[in-house]
Amino acid sequence: MESLEGRVAIITGAGRGLGREHARLFAAEGAKIVVNDLGEVAEETAAEIRATGGEAIASNHDITAWDGGRDLVATAVEGFGRLDVLVNNAGILRDRMLVSMSEEEWDLVVEVHLKGHFVPTRFAAAHWREQVKAGATVHASIIHTSSTSGLLGNPGQTNYGAAKAGIGSFSVICAQELARYGVRSNCIAPAARTRLTEATPGLGEVVAAPSEGFDVWDPANVSPLVAYLATADCDITGRTFFVQGGTVRVMEPWRMGERIERADRWTIADLGEQLPSILG
């Protein structure tokens, strides 16, 4: 039996790049897919899946719109009778150094990435909560897409990085809130060749496909981890993983480090003397 046999998954941004590879692998592993993206590319991916014997529905719902998120979840439930997996993958870039960034460039990137993760997740979570209230047993999974630009930082991407860092925290809190409903939440920070990475200054040549040997930037390398996190038997939740090529690494979240401490209030002068001692 395929590892995702009978599972129903929504994958956003599935018309191209990482999302398309996720959809292909999910379908090959037995899942039924709602392929969400803008324009004709959603139907192209869905048609490709159907041509190989899989089941897929195309969706052009706006994941940043309240009604769009609600209707996207309804499309899965009405079309396939259930929902088991949500892969939040859609994204855009509007790279600019901070001092030159426009309000529109900030708002658009934050909306597509951060709100575009929140809205589908909110309606999927509400659906699963209602299932549990009705007496059903839920084994659901949400996989979010962050980035090292947000988790480690990258100049020229304050909008993208802030949104991606927010997604990392959003995933952790989702895991804490939704465990009672049988829902797991995890996050990936992929390194792969996509339209976004090819458009990032300085990365185009780096991510180019090699003429021979293993292509570490192939987006298909990322999909097996996403598929594993989507399986019904996986019990991992609240974690974030870096994935590139054949490498998977656990990303450690913010945590308390070294400290200085005294029994009364610090002075500015004393802080100036003591604080450097815990910074390494």
Side-chain angles (χ1 to χ4, degrees):
M1 180 181 293
E2 289 88 350
S3 61
L4 296 173
E5 184 69 35
R7 304 275 278 172
V8 174
I10 293 172
I11 304 176
T12 69
R16 300 186 180 94
L18 285 166
R20 181 168 177 256
E21 297 301 335
H22 299 342
R24 283 171 157 180
L25 180 59
F26 273 51
E29 290 295 325
K32 302 173 184 178
I33 315 296
V34 176
V35 178
N36 171 259
D37 213 322
L38 300 177
E40 297 179 357
V41 293
E43 177 55 36
E44 290 171 1
T45 298
E48 179 185 352
I49 289 171
R50 292 194 296 266
T52 58
E55 296 186 57
I57 298 172
S59 154
N60 293 137
H61 295 101
D62 181 356
I63 58 170
T64 69
W66 202 247
D67 290 347
R70 181 195 60 211
D71 294 345
L72 174 59
V73 170
T75 295
V77 175
E78 294 170 6
F80 294 125
R82 58 185 296 122
L83 176 64
D84 303 286
V85 181
L86 170 63
V87 180
N88 288 314
N89 168 76
I92 61 169
L93 284 179
R94 294 294 186 272
D95 290 352
R96 191 87 62 191
M97 297 303 288
L98 175 62
V99 296
S100 302
M101 186 172 293
S102 69
E103 181 180 16
E104 180 183 9
E105 288 166 337
W106 175 274
D107 288 347
L108 183 60
V109 169
V110 171
E111 180 179 47
V112 171
H113 286 276
L114 195 51
K115 190 176 181 183
H117 272 60
F118 160 66
V119 173
T121 301
R122 189 270 183 203
F123 285 101
H127 167 72
W128 289 319
R129 181 185 62 180
E130 292 306 310
Q131 293 290 102
V132 170
K133 286 184 175 181
T137 300
V138 171
H139 297 285
S141 176
I142 310 170
I143 299 97
H144 308 278
T145 307
S146 184
S147 170
T148 54
S149 292
L151 303 177
L152 302 177
N154 192 43
Q157 294 188 316
T158 52
N159 49 3
Y160 178 76
K164 288 302 193 183
I167 288 167
S169 295
F170 178 71
S171 178
V172 171
I173 299 170
C174 285
Q176 295 169 345
E177 289 191 9
L178 302 180
R180 71 189 72 179
Y181 306 123
V183 181
R184 294 175 293 105
S185 173
N186 290 288
C187 192
I188 63 166
R193 184 173 52 256
T194 66
R195 288 181 303 147
L196 271 62
T197 53
E198 288 178 320
T200 302
L203 268 185
E205 293 184 3
V206 174
V207 303
S211 57
E212 58 183 8
F214 179 49
D215 181 2
V216 297
W217 293 99
D218 186 343
N221 299 330
V222 176
S223 301
L225 174 61
V226 178
Y228 170 65
L229 294 172
T231 59
D233 293 336
C234 176
D235 61 0
I236 298 170
T237 192
R239 306 306 294 266
T240 296
F241 300 93
F242 169 85
V243 54
Q244 177 189 27
T247 299
V248 177
R249 300 182 67 175
V250 176
M251 297 291 295
E252 297 292 345
W254 287 99
R255 57 185 180 181
M256 296 289 189
E258 297 297 322
R259 69 180 178 183
I260 54 174
E261 191 172 9
R262 62 191 298 173
D264 56 0
R265 183 181 302 147
W266 284 93
T267 67
I268 295 173
D270 286 346
L271 282 170
E273 179 180 341
Q274 296 296 323
L275 196 58
S277 68
I278 63 172
L279 298 180

